[in-house]
Amino acid sequence: EVQLVESGGGLVQPGGSLRLSCAASGFTFSSYAMTWVRQAPGKGLEWVSGISSSGGYTSHADSVTGLLTISRDNAKNTLYLQMNSLKPEDTAVYYCAKAGGSWWTAGMDYWGRGTLVTVSS
């Protein structure tokens, strides 16, 4: 059974940093691309970042480039999202999702339950 469990969310002040983690199990983690998607209160899903199966290629939405960095540790079956210089508009539930292939453009077939990030003073 595929399982994706996010952690690391919480309350942070504007300008602060957080690192989200996503522990994966039930599939060969190193064979699949992974993504982060977020949903702000009252808004739709927003794709944030994608990383290839090897970790050698990444892509970020224009709105977060330079502020959020995706990475992975295939030895630990874990996906990360480093979030810096957070703004109130970054407040959202952050989901990790497994892609259907080795590139994030393959679409997402499994999702975690999400972790809430709240940026507020």
Side-chain angles (χ1 to χ4, degrees), residues 12-120:
V12 61
Q13 292 188 340
S17 298
L18 279 177
R19 189 176 80 157
L20 306 184
S21 299
C22 173
S25 62
F27 65 103
T28 305
F29 183 71
S30 60
S31 294
Y32 295 91
M34 299 292 293
T35 64
W36 286 100
V37 178
R38 68 184 180 184
Q39 185 169 30
K43 296 189 176 181
L45 293 171
E46 177 189 17
W47 180 85
V48 173
S49 300
I51 188 167
S52 64
S53 56
S54 68
Y57 297 91
T58 63
S59 181
H60 299 82
D62 289 343
S63 59
V64 303
T65 296
L67 301 174
L68 276 59
T69 304
I70 191 171
S71 63
R72 66 191 295 161
D73 185 337
N74 284 347
K76 295 183 177 179
N77 289 351
T78 303
L79 176 73
Y80 302 101
L81 185 67
Q82 179 66 43
M83 310 169 69
N84 299 324
S85 302
L86 285 163
K87 303 182 288 287
E89 51 263 44
D90 293 314
T91 294
V93 177
Y94 286 74
Y95 300 92
C96 72
K98 171 188 170 293
S102 55
W103 295 92
W104 56 86
T105 52
M108 294 160 278
D109 53 9
Y110 289 92
W111 296 69
R113 293 189 173 185
T115 186
L116 176 63
V117 173
T118 302
V119 184
S120 175

